[in-house]
Every structure is written in structure tokens, then in C-alpha cells.
Amino acid sequence: MRAAGVVTVAMVSVLAATLSPAPSTASPPRHVPETTATPVSSSVAGIAPSRRGRPPEATCRSIRPRRWRPAIGHPNDRGTLRVFAIQYKQAVANVRSYRSFRTAMRCMMEDFVVPHLDPHKPSLVVFPEDVGLMTLAIGDRGAAVREQAGSPLRAPAGDRAPLSAASALAELNAAYTPQVAAYQQRFGPIDPRKQVLVAATDTFARAFSRTFSDIARDYGVYVVASNNQARYRATRDPLEVAAFGDPAARRTGVAYVATSPRVTNGTFLWAPYPTRPKSPAGERNLLFRNDKVPLTSLETDLLGLDEGASTGRAGRRNARGVVVEGFRLGFATSLPAFTYGYRFGRRPRALRPCADTSLTYMACMDRLGVEVVVQAEANPARWAGPGGYSTWQPLEWMGSTWRAVADPTVRFDYNVTAHMVGNLLDLAFDGQSAITGRGARAPRRHYVGNARFLPEDERVYRPYAGPKRGFLALAPWVVPEGRRSRLRDVGAALAPGSGEPRENQYLETALFADLVPAWRR
């Protein structure tokens, strides 16, 4: 999540660095990553999806959004790992129950991934940032919020303005009152902004963790997905089940209980094989967890989230990522993917990239040898409009997805960006998913509205304008290229509460590409 229109402290620091004099643009030497205990996986090529839990084709067709298109691909015979970026259109109907959420996620596997699995290559499937957040409204406790968000009036008391995220969180706090009280008693004072996220630990474990853990196992793929949740353990203690479990799931005799009040924006990587058999359900095949740093003001001010480690050994471990099928993956969830600490191509000679990753996250990942940047995205703003500190967000976005593979001061080989789209209450989530590669042999492409540099654009973004090499695959926007004024009108029509026929008619699709290891290039 990267809040538009709000400049965080970290963003101010980065922007200030962009205005500094330009030092040499020569590429720094590639540093050898520090030794790490993170596991290196063995190949899972040739694992066929099991039949367990696969939804029928008719079911998947019935829940597709109005604007939908098949996956767009860039296969390569020299590639050894196939990656998928899922552009999911969130929908209230998908979180009526645990079953409806699991079905929706598995239908995206059936629609976008299964048709393109290669029996000779392992696959990595990247879902967007915050893909699990809406599961907070699963079941009876979220029924009122779901009804308000999904009704024609979109809000209580006949108010035509969409229900605000803040109001919805207040309603959910009330719905989770018994669990909130139990955790407040256990952990002492918990920040009221995040207490409902702690209270929903059992819900998140069942809906989010178990869903994606099972998908990795059942489809024989690596899976990346993100959510704002606490770490947890499983319990069969009747008192704990009664205090912390979902009342609708108590008959299972199991509850998932938060082990601390700390809630981060976590990006999780599951393997198709067991990695920690003694862990609770949802984590027995968990390979790596990254905690987002830096956070946006929306995440700190509205949700009260805790930032990931940014200094010392813990900060380096968080940024280092993990090796999967011969590629070191690093996780830069939205804002961190923009956080270099300096302007494009102008890395200061005295930069200490891992001293504080909240200011130089990308530079630190480069220092630690990351080859593939996994950028899960939930951009809470109109795509065709102003960004966090520019007048045109798609131009600003080049500073992450494309910069990672074009800036000569870093050596990332690939970037995989999976966007969340769709209106959630009063927030519009939008963007164009992309897979980029350094030196990629692909047609020149650009995000919508970026065909040329315009007088309204800030000078710092000039390197990002125009058609660019490096896009292996790029999701189209809801309309083709045109004047920015027209694109802005479309963005306004898509937004919550517009009342226009285009309202919430975002595109759901996916991308895939084959990553080629350095020794094969």
C-alpha cells in the first residue's frame, strides 16, 4: 500500500536526495551477500496440480468480474522459473465466508495459472499486497460492513457517499469486541487503531494463511501473498478457543492465537513442500516472511501498523529475502520499492545502503545480492491522477517497477509487480501490473499517459517518460492510451461514489514470464 497525496518522512528524505548533485553513474561492484541460514529450495519442476479442492470451471466463470481477460505471457525457452503476477479485482462477494474466499483465490489459479504451467519449470505466483485484508469482514461479524459496501447506496442511512474505511474499521471493532477485550487483557494496552487486526488473528489464519498455504501445496507452486496480521500459534485449550476463536468455527476445537500485539504488513512466501512441519496450519510450508519497511502514512495513521526491522542484522535479514530455484528473491512491498535514497543513476559514493533500510531499502537489497524484486501492490489511489508527490502517478510509478531493471547503479535482474484493483469502501485501488527484466528483448512499452514528458511533469521524472525497453509483460489499463485529461475523467468515473456506469469496472487479469538465470544469458 502506497498512499497517494501524502508525503511520509521517508519519502521526504528520498525526494531531497533526488535534488542533490549527480555523482558518477558507473555501476558499483556487485557485493557478495552475507552468509544466511535461509533455505535454498530444490527444484519442484514437474509437480502437477492435485485435484484436491479445485473449483469447477463453471463456478470460476460465474464469479469473474465484468472486465476480465486471460493471462498475458512472455515465455522464454531459456527460462528456468516461470513467474505469475495476479491482478486481482477485490470484491465484497468474495469474503462472505471462508469458502467463498478460498474459491475466489483458487479460481484465479484455475483461470490464470493452470493453463500456463510448464511441466519442465517450477512456478512462482505473486498475489497483490493486502489480498487478505478484506477477510476481516468474513462471516456474521462482517455482515453489516459487507452489506453497506455492496449495496447500491454503499452506506448506511441512505447516504450516497461510500462508507469510509475508518467507519468500517470502527464497526468491525465493535463486531470483534470479545476478542479485542481478551487480547487487551492478555497483552495490556494495544493501539486502538490495530486492535481489531490482532483480534482477527484466528480469522486471518483460517482465511489468508491456510488458503495460500494450501494453494502452494495443492497446485505445486511457490506462492507470494500479503496481509496485515500478527504472528500466531494453534491451540486446543477450550478457554483459549472460546476467547480468541471465530465463534462460527469453535466446533473445530482449534483456535489460532496471536503471540504478540505486533501487526506488520507481511509478505509471505509458501513452498509446495513442507518447510516447518511442527508449525500451525498455514505455516507448515512457509519459506519466508518479509515485514514492510518503510510504511505509508495510511498504514501508520489509519491502521497503526508496526514497521519491519530497518537496522542491524534483523534489518538485513528482512531485506535479504530467500533463494528460490536458483534466484534470490527480495520483497519490496509498494513504498519500499521506491526507496533508494537517491535519484535515478546518481548513487552517492558514501552511501551506506543497509545502515537504515527505511531510507535506502532498494539499495540494501542490491547490496545483499537480490536478483528478483517481488513488488506486491495495493495502491489506494486513482491510477490516472496525482501520485504521492507528482502530478501523474503512472510516471512516478516508473521509479519502482522499471527503475529496478534500468538504473545502472543497481544490478537487479527482474521485477514482478502484481497490483490490487477495485474499490474498497471509499478507497480506489488501481494500477497496471508488470514484469520487467534488465536488458529484456521486448517491445518498448509505457504505462498509460507516459508516452511523452509533459510540461506539467516534474523534472526529476524525465528519465521515466516515453516508451521503454524492459517490460516483459504489462497489463493494459481500462482504456487505451489517450490525453491525460481524458484518462483523468475515466479514473474519476471508476472511483467510489461516482455513480457512473464505469464505477468499479477495473480490469482483472494476470501476467507471466520466464526468468532466465545469469549463466544462461
Side-chain angles (χ1 to χ4, degrees), residues 166-518:
S167 297
L169 285 172
E171 291 189 29
L172 289 166
N173 264 279
Y176 280 84
T177 293
Q179 291 75 38
V180 167
Y183 278 116
Q184 290 283 7
Q185 182 177 12
R186 170 159 294 193
F187 293 130
I190 301 175
D191 187 329
R193 294 170 298 178
K194 69 176 181 181
Q195 64 183 9
V196 70
L197 301 177
V198 179
T201 296
D202 184 76
T203 298
F204 286 151
R206 295 177 190 277
F208 172 77
S209 298
R210 293 187 62 176
T211 291
F212 291 106
S213 170
D214 289 350
I215 285 175
R217 178 199 66 201
D218 292 345
Y219 287 88
V221 298
Y222 297 92
V223 172
V224 173
S226 305
N227 194 32
N228 305 320
Q229 68 181 63
R231 285 172 166 79
Y232 65 89
R233 60 178 173 82
T235 181
R236 291 187 176 274
D237 183 323
L239 295 179
E240 289 193 315
V241 171
F244 301 111
D246 179 348
R250 285 176 185 162
R251 65 184 182 280
T252 65
V254 177
Y256 300 97
V257 181
T259 55
S260 88
R262 180 175 169 79
V263 179
T264 62
N265 183 338
T267 296
F268 302 77
L269 168 66
W270 288 272
Y273 50 81
T275 59
R276 45 183 86 183
K278 295 183 179 180
S279 294
E283 296 196 343
R284 290 170 189 156
N285 56 336
L286 187 64
L287 196 55
F288 190 79
R289 172 174 175 160
N290 169 271
D291 292 330
K292 183 175 178 179
V293 57
L295 296 174
T296 67
S297 58
L298 180 64
E299 291 167 319
T300 56
D301 297 346
L302 177 64
L303 299 177
L305 296 184
D306 297 290
E307 200 166 61
S310 61
T311 59
R313 182 175 297 178
R316 293 191 297 274
R317 185 185 306 117
N318 191 50
R320 182 183 296 120
V322 64
V323 174
V324 168
E325 303 295 337
F327 295 89
R328 179 165 290 279
L329 310 183
F331 301 86
T333 305
S334 199
L335 180 57
F338 296 77
T339 307
Y340 285 76
Y342 59 92
R343 184 175 174 176
F344 181 93
R346 299 188 177 185
R347 183 175 180 138
R349 293 185 183 279
L351 187 75
R352 297 175 58 209
C354 295
D356 184 350
T357 61
S358 68
L359 301 176
T360 54
Y361 188 86
M362 292 294 285
C364 182
M365 285 210 308
D366 176 64
R367 166 66 177 81
L368 297 172
V370 168
E371 299 163 283
V372 181
V373 178
V374 177
Q375 185 177 340
E377 281 291 353
N379 169 42
R382 299 177 189 177
W383 186 239
Y389 47 98
S390 77
T391 59
W392 189 246
Q393 185 157 212
L395 189 62
E396 182 179 318
W397 221 268
M398 293 286 284
S400 61
T401 303
W402 180 78
R403 181 180 178 179
V405 301
D407 193 317
T409 69
V410 293
R411 301 289 184 85
F412 305 118
D413 293 322
Y414 296 98
N415 175 289
V416 183
T417 296
H419 268 279
M420 175 88 78
V421 298
N423 296 335
L424 174 60
L425 307 171
D426 61 338
L427 299 175
F429 289 83
D430 199 7
Q432 291 175 261
S433 298
I435 302 175
T436 56
R438 187 172 295 271
R441 297 177 181 177
R444 294 181 183 271
R445 296 185 174 98
H446 60 83
Y447 289 129
V448 68
N450 283 5
R452 59 192 180 91
F453 190 77
L454 299 180
E456 69 181 60
D457 297 327
E458 292 86 342
R459 179 174 56 86
V460 70
Y461 298 112
R462 183 177 289 277
Y464 302 144
K468 302 292 184 185
R469 299 281 188 196
F471 283 96
L472 295 173
L474 176 64
W477 197 49
V478 294
V479 296
E481 180 66 20
R483 291 181 177 272
R484 287 188 186 175
S485 58
R486 175 176 174 268
L487 300 175
R488 288 188 176 98
D489 289 343
V490 173
L494 290 165
S498 74
E500 299 289 338
R502 286 190 189 273
E503 183 178 355
N504 202 30
Q505 296 303 310
Y506 301 89
L507 174 67
E508 181 172 280
T509 188
L511 310 172
F512 70 90
D514 292 332
L515 308 190
V516 181

